[in-house]
Amino acid sequence: MQKHSDKRMLLVEDSRMFATALKYGLESVHGIRVTHCNSLAALKEALEQAPGSFSLAVLDLNLPDAPNCEALDFILDNQVPAVVFTAAFNDHTREAILRRGALDCVIKHQPESINLLIGAVDRALTNGKTTVLLADSDAASRGELAGILRRKRISVCEVATAADALQVLDSGEAIDLVVTDLDLADMTGAALLAEVERRRGDGAVPVIGLSDSGDRRAGARFLEAGGTDFIQKPFLEAEFNGRIAQAAGVQKRLQTLQRQAASDYLTDLYNRRHFFLAGPRLVDQCLRRGEPTAIAVLDIDHFKRLNDTYGHEIGDIVLKHVAKRLAALVGEDHLLARLGGEEFGILFNGCDVRRAFAFCDALRLELAKSRIVADDEELTITVSIGLATIETSEAFENYLHAADQFLYMAKHAGRNRVISELALLDALAS
């Protein structure tokens, strides 16, 4: 698995044995491109030649020309996240290294030290993409927790109340993990957990509970309610970091599997199953925010004729082309999926029907202008689109059925057009 093949990393190590083993391990396991430096001078030269291109540095504390942690200071001064790999180690040294801003510290001369370091690098690069929603009504406690998380390169969204946490979730913010005190000012942690699951789905977002209560049953009740983990305050920072890293790692692996299950095999867009799973939650979010939304079904005109004339291989090329153009034009703001065959669905996020209609018409025109080269022949295609407004909470199938009805009208009106209730009303008014 070449998990981090898009990353470059500095390895600052004067031991040839360790440098060779680490470089091989990191490149073969994760695909990371490793630049080895055996001295502070070589490190300075590498950063000067490629500033801003390194995602992480792994370094020894003591080098021949930098015996007193000068390399670590230089790395941190240049805003490169660092993992320390050193033989000079005790609990005091570890705390001092972490306070200076290093992400982690691994002892060289211990069993499996190479594998431990490879794991630490994986966590450091993965955590850089992790966002934690932190809910704690105590400002001092919240600030301390946020500081611990940010030292691990975890992005933190801080809120003081459950209401604020739910507002963040309703906004569509990409949250990987929720950390909440069990005694928020306006809601218990268990109640917040229930709301998170209602909005994002059971188990979709891990929730870790914290409490300084003397009630030993508090953690058990939280876990029985579906919480991912529970940490009793006060806690060791290493324990907190370990629990967070474990939950985040499991979540990232789960997200990878979910993406694979949600992807259409041919176009790499979301598939129909994901559209029906994620769609109702997106509609619910929009309606709770009081924002308009709409749903569109797009169909490639005369696709059966194209398949019969040129063959299914050319048909697949056309489908991939349309999917690629749609993905580029729709982006991440709205939910796009291949519903099956030559049909695609778009669920708009906070977009009223008039804006959605203009958007769909622009899509139609862009696709009509695009050229598809297949077997040295240039093809053009057009699409028909049905667009339905979503104003009240109904079964998701009803919204899709309405859009299908408008698509049917677009087909029978001559194809290559967008039909919606808005278009019909405008036609009647004229």
Side-chain angles (χ1 to χ4, degrees), residues 61 240-241 258 336 343:
L61 285 181
F240 180 77
N241 285 333
Q258 288 171 337
L336 168 68
E343 271 195 357

PDB file of all heavy atoms in Angstrom, residues 61 240-241 258 336 343:
ATOM      1  N   LEU A  61      18.767  13.441  17.517  1.00  0.00           N
ATOM      2  CA  LEU A  61      19.026  14.672  18.273  1.00  0.00           C
ATOM      3  C   LEU A  61      20.481  15.100  18.175  1.00  0.00           C
ATOM      4  O   LEU A  61      20.777  16.295  18.188  1.00  0.00           O
ATOM      5  CB  LEU A  61      18.659  14.469  19.746  1.00  0.00           C
ATOM      6  CG  LEU A  61      17.181  14.455  20.111  1.00  0.00           C
ATOM      7  CD1 LEU A  61      17.025  14.268  21.606  1.00  0.00           C
ATOM      8  CD2 LEU A  61      16.499  15.737  19.672  1.00  0.00           C
ATOM      9  N   PHE A 240      -3.746  10.333  26.438  1.00  0.00           N
ATOM     10  CA  PHE A 240      -4.707  11.050  25.606  1.00  0.00           C
ATOM     11  C   PHE A 240      -4.306  10.960  24.138  1.00  0.00           C
ATOM     12  O   PHE A 240      -5.133  10.639  23.274  1.00  0.00           O
ATOM     13  CB  PHE A 240      -4.776  12.513  26.060  1.00  0.00           C
ATOM     14  CG  PHE A 240      -5.726  13.362  25.272  1.00  0.00           C
ATOM     15  CD1 PHE A 240      -7.098  13.289  25.487  1.00  0.00           C
ATOM     16  CD2 PHE A 240      -5.257  14.232  24.300  1.00  0.00           C
ATOM     17  CE1 PHE A 240      -7.973  14.080  24.757  1.00  0.00           C
ATOM     18  CE2 PHE A 240      -6.127  15.023  23.561  1.00  0.00           C
ATOM     19  CZ  PHE A 240      -7.491  14.944  23.794  1.00  0.00           C
ATOM     20  N   ASN A 241      -3.018  11.214  23.860  1.00  0.00           N
ATOM     21  CA  ASN A 241      -2.544  11.162  22.474  1.00  0.00           C
ATOM     22  C   ASN A 241      -2.712   9.770  21.884  1.00  0.00           C
ATOM     23  O   ASN A 241      -3.088   9.605  20.726  1.00  0.00           O
ATOM     24  CB  ASN A 241      -1.074  11.581  22.407  1.00  0.00           C
ATOM     25  CG  ASN A 241      -0.881  13.073  22.566  1.00  0.00           C
ATOM     26  OD1 ASN A 241      -1.770  13.860  22.252  1.00  0.00           O
ATOM     27  ND2 ASN A 241       0.265  13.474  23.083  1.00  0.00           N
ATOM     28  N   GLN A 258     -14.996   2.779   3.223  1.00  0.00           N
ATOM     29  CA  GLN A 258     -16.284   3.364   2.844  1.00  0.00           C
ATOM     30  C   GLN A 258     -16.208   4.013   1.464  1.00  0.00           C
ATOM     31  O   GLN A 258     -17.151   3.910   0.674  1.00  0.00           O
ATOM     32  CB  GLN A 258     -16.714   4.377   3.897  1.00  0.00           C
ATOM     33  CG  GLN A 258     -17.171   3.755   5.205  1.00  0.00           C
ATOM     34  CD  GLN A 258     -17.396   4.770   6.298  1.00  0.00           C
ATOM     35  OE1 GLN A 258     -16.849   5.879   6.273  1.00  0.00           O
ATOM     36  NE2 GLN A 258     -18.226   4.429   7.274  1.00  0.00           N
ATOM     37  N   LEU A 336     -22.655  14.367  -6.031  1.00  0.00           N
ATOM     38  CA  LEU A 336     -22.728  13.881  -7.412  1.00  0.00           C
ATOM     39  C   LEU A 336     -22.528  12.372  -7.418  1.00  0.00           C
ATOM     40  O   LEU A 336     -21.635  11.853  -6.758  1.00  0.00           O
ATOM     41  CB  LEU A 336     -21.648  14.559  -8.257  1.00  0.00           C
ATOM     42  CG  LEU A 336     -21.379  13.992  -9.652  1.00  0.00           C
ATOM     43  CD1 LEU A 336     -22.571  14.223 -10.578  1.00  0.00           C
ATOM     44  CD2 LEU A 336     -20.107  14.623 -10.240  1.00  0.00           C
ATOM     45  N   GLU A 343     -27.226   7.524 -16.409  1.00  0.00           N
ATOM     46  CA  GLU A 343     -27.885   8.506 -15.545  1.00  0.00           C
ATOM     47  C   GLU A 343     -26.972   8.932 -14.391  1.00  0.00           C
ATOM     48  O   GLU A 343     -26.323   8.093 -13.759  1.00  0.00           O
ATOM     49  CB  GLU A 343     -29.176   7.938 -14.950  1.00  0.00           C
ATOM     50  CG  GLU A 343     -30.392   8.164 -15.816  1.00  0.00           C
ATOM     51  CD  GLU A 343     -31.681   7.924 -15.034  1.00  0.00           C
ATOM     52  OE1 GLU A 343     -31.620   7.529 -13.857  1.00  0.00           O
ATOM     53  OE2 GLU A 343     -32.754   8.141 -15.631  1.00  0.00           O
TER      54      GLU A 343
END
